[in-house]
Amino acid sequence: MARLQGDDERLDEVGDAPDPRYTFANERTFLAWSRTALALIGGGLVAAQVLHGRFGGWHLLVALPAIALGGLVGFAGYLRWHANERAMRLRQPVEPSPLTRMLTAGIAVLAVLSAVLVVIAAATR
């Protein structure tokens, strides 16, 4: 009989297998979060390279938060996938995700930092 509690359990040992369509939808959502994380990391790396000569160390105000947010979104996306899969297997409700709010706030901060660098670049020409 499958175990129902514990953090060390494998997902295939928890509850009953859900309808495969839901599992596939959960995986697609996880992959979307992974693509978002990779885009943030890639954007941070591009910002670090492209802005390096123009702003000295200030380019890191955009680059490092983007890379860190990308890593956080990637890890949180995995945790979200796991929690959703477990909830479906146990026939429990899927809880709302804090990921969307976190990502929205992070992108807003990156937008403000980027705008500040654009204004500084325009003022120093």
Side-chain angles (χ1 to χ4, degrees):
M1 182 167 188
R3 293 181 298 184
L4 297 178
Q5 299 293 326
D7 294 332
D8 61 341
E9 65 210 1
R10 295 173 16 159
L11 279 176
D12 61 351
E13 297 174 347
V14 175
D16 300 316
D19 184 327
R21 293 174 294 179
Y22 299 125
T23 296
F24 294 145
N26 192 30
E27 288 176 359
R28 285 190 301 273
T29 303
F30 167 69
L31 292 172
W33 285 115
S34 297
R35 285 189 300 273
T36 301
L38 288 171
L40 285 164
I41 293 167
L45 292 172
V46 167
Q49 291 300 310
V50 171
L51 300 175
H52 179 65
R54 299 182 71 186
F55 297 104
W58 291 98
H59 67 289
L60 297 177
L61 281 176
V62 173
L64 292 178
I67 293 168
L69 182 60
L72 186 62
V73 166
F75 183 68
Y78 169 77
L79 294 177
R80 181 76 183 148
W81 167 82
H82 191 274
N84 287 345
E85 190 67 24
R86 188 172 199 288
M88 287 188 301
R89 293 184 72 83
L90 295 173
R91 308 283 189 249
Q92 296 175 342
V94 175
E95 298 296 323
S97 174
L99 253 165
T100 6
R101 187 175 302 152
M102 177 184 71
L103 182 61
T104 302
I107 289 173
V109 168
L110 287 173
V112 169
L113 292 173
S114 298
V116 167
L117 287 181
V118 167
V119 169
I120 291 171
T124 58
R125 285 187 183 178

